[in-house]
Amino acid sequence: MIFSPTLNNIEIAISQLKSGNLIGLPTETVYGLGGDARNSDVVAKIFALKGRPSFNPLISHVCDIEMAMQYGEFSKTAKLLAEHFWPGAFTIVVQRKANSEICDLTCAGLETIALRCPNHEIANQIIKGFGAPIAAPSANISGHVSPTSAQHVENEFGDNLSTIIDGGECQIGLESTVVAVFENEVTLLRYGAITIEEIENVIGGRVQIANLKDEKSPKSPGMLLKHYSPNAPLFLDCDKAQEGEILIGFGDMDCQLNLSKTANLQEAAANLYKMIRQADAQKPRAIKIAPIPNTGIGAAINDRLSRAAEK
Ligand code: TXA
Ligand code: MG
């Protein structure tokens, strides 16, 4: 059920977490399916409800750097990045602290942990009130389109999720940028709103891009999968649709849905999952998408689209 974000309802969400239940919670990127990151029974429920393969680790959400540093080993560079980009759409993978309370299942048995402090008032109130990290993948069935509104979350899980806190539409609309940081080396694991250039400006050095073929390169298990997919087949770089198909446009063009008439990439990112869902709901023969420039957040949009179009 969807609850408005009153203080009372936020308390309800916190007590659900304390009783070992899952909640749907808003963040600035996408909605999360959250539970106690320390409790393996709870985290097992997250994997089961999403149908997520258990080799794919979850992000632990914290309310500040202090909480993050209780669970991860932050090098100078990791701390610098956290200070610069948190709260925000930025996930940092670091070495797990020895004797960390975070359960193995959250990290899929890896020696590393992914940490993020969301830039969302309600999410932060919930994490702070709960007092420990919340493990939260995007609140969708594994492989589906990510949710950018409370209604999307309800459409995904229905009665199987009793508490969804409504924080309005997600401002960014794409999952966070994920980087691995070991000592001074920063490797991009997932494209997101925060770009490589921004990260390089902060560290004053280069960012590596994870190489799935190189044994030694840090990896993100989630990068390997077909992901973010609607039911209808999706085609990229299109400029028209045939009978029974839907064209999602970008910029000034003739189409049924438009990510941004003014060709604004931020607006396109915020509209992307919503419009893919809208198009899919009409059960078209195919969804076609206009070309998106690969600059700024456009790189993240194209990353998601190429995975969504994967056969
Ligand atoms: O914006 C977001 O990041 C959203 C909101 C809810 O915070 N969450 C999200 O979670 O997108 P999820 O589970 O859909 O994606 C987490 C990504 C996956 O690609 C996963 O493989 C990667 O982070 N990841 C998590 N822990 C990792 C680790 N220890 N090492 C490498 N990659 C990791
Ligand atoms: Mg996801």
Side-chain angles (χ1 to χ4, degrees):
M1 211 173 106
I2 298 176
F3 290 85
S4 61
T6 60
L7 277 183
N8 192 43
N9 288 342
I10 287 174
E11 282 306 323
I12 290 175
I14 293 168
S15 60
Q16 290 281 11
L17 290 169
K18 287 184 175 162
S19 326
N21 294 317
L22 306 184
I23 62 165
L25 82 162
T27 84
E28 81 279 33
T29 58
V30 299
Y31 275 70
L33 177 65
D36 186 344
R38 303 164 303 177
N39 184 328
S40 56
D41 292 337
V42 170
V43 178
K45 284 192 228 171
I46 298 179
F47 280 97
L49 191 57
K50 270 187 71 92
R52 180 174 175 120
S54 57
F55 61 77
N56 194 4
L58 307 180
I59 297 170
S60 296
H61 294 75
V62 294
C63 59
D64 51 35
I65 299 186
E66 286 66 42
M67 188 185 269
M69 287 175 61
Q70 286 176 46
Y71 303 95
E73 298 286 0
F74 278 67
S75 66
K76 238 188 185 155
T77 302
K79 186 143 185 273
L80 181 72
L81 287 169
E83 279 164 354
H84 197 88
F85 291 116
W86 283 357
F90 193 72
T91 297
I92 307 178
V93 173
V94 295
Q95 210 63 38
R96 279 170 82 179
K97 274 224 156 130
N99 314 317
S100 160
E101 279 184 299
I102 305 296
C103 68
D104 283 340
L105 193 55
T106 296
C107 303
L110 300 173
E111 297 293 308
T112 53
I113 180 169
L115 291 152
R116 176 165 106 84
C117 175
N119 186 17
H120 197 290
E121 186 70 34
I122 296 164
N124 288 16
Q125 274 174 342
I126 294 175
I127 301 164
K128 207 169 190 170
F130 180 57
I134 297 179
S138 51
N140 53 276
I141 304 291
S142 194
H144 277 188
V145 182
S146 298
T148 56
S149 72
Q151 189 60 53
H152 292 165
V153 181
E154 183 151 274
N155 296 349
E156 289 285 321
F157 299 117
D159 292 341
N160 292 326
L161 184 61
S162 65
T163 312
I164 302 165
I165 299 293
D166 190 351
E169 285 202 19
C170 299
Q171 235 180 41
I172 293 180
L174 279 185
E175 300 80 355
S176 59
T177 301
V178 181
V179 296
V181 186
F182 301 112
E183 299 302 330
N184 299 322
E185 224 174 86
V186 181
T187 308
L188 182 80
L189 299 180
R190 180 172 74 182
Y191 288 89
I194 290 168
T195 62
I196 292 178
E197 294 71 40
E198 288 175 275
I199 301 168
E200 289 184 339
N201 281 339
V202 172
I203 60 175
R206 297 309 301 269
V207 170
Q208 309 298 318
I209 298 178
N211 180 351
L212 298 177
K213 292 190 191 102
D214 178 356
E215 279 288 295
K216 282 183 293 225
S217 170
K219 287 187 187 54
S220 191
M223 294 277 279
L224 299 167
L225 307 172
K226 173 181 161 76
H227 216 137
Y228 316 105
S229 298
N231 294 313
L234 187 73
F235 297 94
L236 312 183
D237 296 327
C238 299
D239 59 2
K240 49 176 152 330
Q242 312 292 330
E243 182 81 31
E245 300 175 343
I246 294 182
L247 178 63
I248 302 180
F250 178 79
D252 185 17
M253 64 189 284
D254 191 18
C255 52
Q256 287 101 319
L257 292 165
N258 199 322
L259 292 170
S260 172
K261 285 184 182 139
T262 58
N264 175 320
L265 286 168
Q266 248 76 35
E267 186 186 21
N271 280 331
L272 183 69
Y273 291 142
K274 177 174 71 183
M275 290 190 175
I276 290 179
R277 279 172 184 271
Q278 281 171 357
D280 211 27
Q282 298 177 44
K283 303 200 186 325
R285 291 223 312 264
I287 300 172
K288 296 195 158 167
I289 303 214
I292 309 292
N294 212 41
T295 53
I297 197 173
I301 297 176
N302 284 323
D303 169 71
R304 300 307 189 274
L305 284 175
S306 65
R307 280 170 223 287
E310 188 67 33
K311 298 284 167 345

